Amino acid sequence: METLLLKNNIDDIKYAARLIRDGQVVGIPTETVYGLGADASNEEAVGKVFAAKGRPADNPLIVHLADFSDAERYTSMIPALAYRLAERFTPGPLTMVMPKNERIPMLTSGGLDTVGIRVPSHPVMHSIIEQSGCAIAAPSANRSGLPSPTSAEHVMRDMNGRIAAVVDGGQSEFGVESTVISFDGEDAVRILRPGAVTREMLLEVCGEVVIDPAILNEVGEGEKVASPGMKYKHYSPKADIIMVESQLGDFTSLVGDNYGDGVYALIFDGDEAGFPYRHLTYGADSSMQAHWLFQRLRELDDMGAEKVYVRAPSTDGVGLAVYNRLIRAAGFEVIRI
Ligand code: TXA
Ligand code: MG
């Protein structure tokens, strides 16, 4: 199959929407990362998404809607707190897990009786949903295990020949996937995956916000998890990633002691003056680090990096999302000095 590269104009958007309505899979831009979109209610189409990604069947897909009010069509119960959160954070990078109804096939929900609902803010994605008239199931558009794509070019690289088309909507704004939450009682939520809607922001609306332990800790084999995605090694480039929590001086010495062919460092903007080893930078603050992380991981692969020492980000605010992706990319290998 030849994968078409479509542009950000109304004819191409209509064509992409038509492909989705016809049961095809299309790479679509969102404000977080690019997704692989298909009609959430069409099992055959959703099956193609799992096949194109090489995704395990027990890992559910997020369902994307044009407006939160449409959630009533696909869920059997919406907590009052969900409406309050939607008011504040949609459209935007927040996914809320709620009991699903029969319009969402078990294939889409990875065999669970819940569905993650998200209302993306990217204008191209919004029009594609509206024009298609479908709820769009979309995981991140990377091959399973690789870093998520933040540009149409990344999607093309991973998916060329495997899907019908990719719509180029520019570089993704946030750069990390949406915050995924579930409901833990009337006024409490649990963060299953951290994102740009931070714990601090959620606390403006909720009485309590629990951070699931699997966000920062490795899940043991056979252990039960609140979100299946947390079981899998993720976001990892070909290179071996090692996270280092230390001051710049100790970090520089560590890289020096282990330096050789194929060894690179991923450091903060501002660290590079006088840093004598091969490196890339990924931003000075958490928002920029979120924006650049996946792009940099792909660039390191292109440069032939075999081993990458990464300065560990802060876990405050959006930093928690960056830390969570990196620690998974590192297979939980962290050096603390
Ligand atoms: O920003 C995003 O969320 C992007 C864009 C494309 O919207 N999508 C995305 O999808 O990151 P994916 O499939 O790569 O990650 C979805 C995560 C997985 O870890 C999955 O296990 C979890 O959300 N998830 C989805 N539905 C769930 C459910 N019903 N219960 C628990 N976890 C769920
Ligand atoms: Mg993903």
Side-chain angles (χ1 to χ4, degrees), residues 38-121:
D39 177 353
S41 299
N42 178 339
E43 288 200 45
E44 201 184 317
V46 169
K48 291 180 192 167
V49 172
F50 279 92
K53 248 184 102 76
R55 181 174 179 118
D58 69 347
N59 199 358
L61 308 185
I62 291 173
V63 171
H64 300 72
L65 304 174
D67 192 281
F68 188 74
S69 59
D70 299 333
E72 287 160 19
R73 259 182 80 74
Y74 300 96
T75 54
S76 58
M77 197 277 293
I78 301 180
L81 179 56
Y83 286 104
R84 294 199 335 254
L85 288 163
E87 178 90 2
R88 172 78 170 76
F89 298 114
T90 65
L94 179 67
T95 297
M96 297 188 247
V97 173
M98 296 178 281
K100 73 171 195 69
N101 71 17
E102 69 293 337
R103 288 202 180 87
I104 301 295
M106 277 292 176
L107 192 65
T108 305
S109 68
L112 299 175
D113 50 19
T114 55
V115 58
I117 297 285
R118 164 156 138 71
V119 181
S121 63

Side-chain angles (χ1 to χ4, degrees), residues 239-298:
D240 193 13
I241 303 288
I242 300 148
M243 233 160 90
V244 184
E245 282 178 16
S246 73
Q247 298 301 312
L248 179 59
D250 292 325
F251 179 87
T252 309
S253 308
L254 179 81
V255 175
D257 291 345
N258 293 280
Y259 203 55
D261 284 351
V263 175
Y264 284 73
L266 185 58
I267 58 182
F268 306 147
D269 283 67
D271 287 350
E272 63 273 42
F275 188 82
Y277 307 113
R278 278 185 297 270
H279 65 273
L280 292 180
T281 63
Y282 74 116
D285 59 39
S286 297
S287 299
M288 288 318 285
Q289 289 166 3
H291 181 81
W292 289 114
L293 177 68
F294 288 139
Q295 160 101 27
R296 293 294 182 258
L297 292 179
R298 283 176 180 257

Side-chain angles (χ1 to χ4, degrees), residues 53 55 139-140 142 148 177 193 234-235:
K53 248 184 102 76
R55 181 174 179 118
S140 52
N142 51 292
S148 298
E177 305 87 340
R193 180 179 70 183
H234 254 156
Y235 316 117

Side-chain angles (χ1 to χ4, degrees), residues 174-190:
F174 291 110
V176 289
E177 305 87 340
S178 62
T179 304
V180 180
I181 60 168
S182 63
F183 294 90
D184 249 13
E186 242 168 57
D187 199 31
V189 298
R190 169 178 294 257

